[in-house]
Amino acid sequence: MGPKKSFKDLITETTIDDIEENNATKYINLLKDKIVINQFPLKIKIIITSEFTTPMAFDRIESHYSHPVEVVLTQNNLSTFYNNLIDKFEAWVDKFQERGSGFVFDGIKSVKVKLYKYEYQRASSYIPLQFKSSNIINVQNKKDNKCFLWSILASLFPANKDKQRVTKYKEYENEINMKGIEYPVSIKDIPKVEKQNNLSINVFALEDQTNKQSLHPVYISNVESKNVIDLLYIESNENTHYCLSKEVILEGE
């Protein structure tokens, strides 16, 4: 069955039922080549329909495993997603067979795959870093949602000391043209900021909020400017926040 589209957050919904493999791990590894993903980040929902039989194969039943929706930020995260899917599915199969009904796993019949859009939240107020780094300036805007602006100003008008204080950049607040930009600033608004200020702004996020080496690009500028600014986008619970990154080292470099 081909892909279909539904409500606005759903990218595609596909049912895959043409893989002939009884081993669950091998089946899911073959499944990877069937799932076409053309954009990141996104959310993935997997529903696996399996068949269970009695040892004499006189009775057959179907049961459905619904894998929790997971956010996959980059192509590099897909292997982690599939490994997690295999582990949780096999645990579900074991639990099903331990019920004492006499039914044993006979194979996967089909897999429904739903891909959803995922958008980064608007970054707003201060979040402490969960690691130490001398290369990151984390302006402590505890009373406003202008972390994007303060991080930009921290790059253009660097303070000699107390670089984390908002007061170090207040006098330069009107040096950046933020006309038509709503606070907190969304990543989709960054091109407009670049155009209005002749800036080249890159944004990176963390796969693991505790690991400063787990960086991946979220937004890479195509603007040529003498002022190139790298921002770090961090998350904690319902809040998100921009910091200034003085040096970017991507995972694997």
Side-chain angles (χ1 to χ4, degrees):
M1 182 183 296
K4 63 180 181 179
K5 293 189 177 181
S6 182
F7 58 94
K8 64 179 182 179
D9 288 335
L10 181 66
I11 302 171
T12 60
E13 177 180 330
T14 306
T15 298
I16 298 168
D17 56 8
D18 59 350
I19 299 176
E20 296 183 4
E21 174 57 61
N22 290 331
N23 180 277
T25 300
K26 291 181 179 179
Y27 187 105
I28 293 173
N29 282 326
L30 292 171
L31 181 69
K32 299 176 186 179
D33 296 330
K34 297 280 187 176
I35 301 176
V36 179
I37 299 177
N38 296 317
Q39 68 179 69
F40 292 93
L42 79 166
K43 294 183 289 187
I44 304 180
K45 173 69 177 177
I46 299 280
I47 301 173
I48 300 176
T49 299
S50 301
E51 192 168 61
F52 291 81
T53 65
T54 58
M56 299 300 293
F58 293 134
D59 294 314
R60 291 178 177 270
I61 60 171
E62 287 185 1
S63 190
H64 307 280
Y65 167 71
S66 181
H67 190 70
V69 175
E70 288 194 33
V71 174
V72 179
L73 297 176
T74 68
Q75 180 79 34
N76 293 335
N77 295 138
L78 276 176
S79 59
T80 301
F81 169 80
Y82 286 120
N83 289 338
N84 191 32
L85 174 62
I86 290 171
D87 290 343
K88 290 191 175 182
F89 176 71
E90 290 182 341
W92 174 82
V93 170
D94 290 342
K95 187 175 181 179
F96 188 97
Q97 294 178 144
E98 289 169 0
R99 294 176 181 174
S101 61
F103 284 93
V104 295
F105 178 75
D106 192 54
I108 296 173
K109 290 196 67 177
S110 65
V111 177
K112 181 178 288 186
V113 182
K114 296 182 179 182
L115 305 180
Y116 297 91
K117 295 177 183 178
Y118 176 78
E119 293 186 2
Y120 290 95
Q121 302 176 55
R122 291 176 177 269
S124 55
S125 56
Y126 170 70
I127 298 175
L129 289 172
Q130 296 187 43
F131 54 84
K132 292 182 179 180
S133 175
S134 59
N135 291 319
I136 297 173
I137 298 175
N138 188 5
V139 180
Q140 299 181 10
N141 62 316
K142 298 178 181 179
K143 297 182 179 180
D144 64 42
N145 56 8
K146 296 182 178 181
C147 60
F148 177 86
L149 175 62
W150 304 132
S151 297
I152 296 296
L153 293 174
S155 175
L156 298 177
F157 304 97
N160 292 324
K161 62 178 182 178
D162 298 326
K163 299 178 181 181
Q164 78 283 1
R165 293 185 180 179
V166 172
T167 53
K168 294 293 181 178
Y169 313 107
K170 273 282 189 181
E171 64 179 297
Y172 307 111
E173 186 171 359
N174 294 325
E175 295 293 326
I176 299 297
N177 181 0
M178 297 295 287
K179 183 178 180 180
I181 306 297
E182 179 184 352
Y183 290 107
V185 175
S186 170
I187 288 174
K188 67 181 180 181
D189 292 327
I190 292 178
K192 187 173 183 179
V193 177
E194 292 180 306
K195 184 177 180 180
Q196 293 179 176
N197 296 277
N198 190 27
L199 298 174
S200 178
I201 302 171
N202 303 310
V203 181
F204 300 85
L206 296 165
E207 308 285 0
D208 177 355
Q209 297 296 310
T210 64
N211 181 4
K212 62 184 177 182
Q213 293 184 326
S214 65
L215 284 176
H216 65 89
V218 172
Y219 172 83
I220 299 299
S221 177
N222 59 11
V223 176
E224 292 187 8
S225 171
K226 66 178 182 179
N227 294 314
V228 178
I229 301 171
D230 293 327
L231 300 181
L232 175 64
Y233 177 97
I234 60 176
E235 302 176 79
S236 178
N237 298 322
E238 297 299 317
N239 192 20
T240 57
H241 180 62
Y242 291 111
C243 306
L244 174 64
S245 179
K246 296 187 291 182
E247 181 181 9
V248 173
I249 301 176
L250 295 177
E251 192 172 18
E253 290 187 356

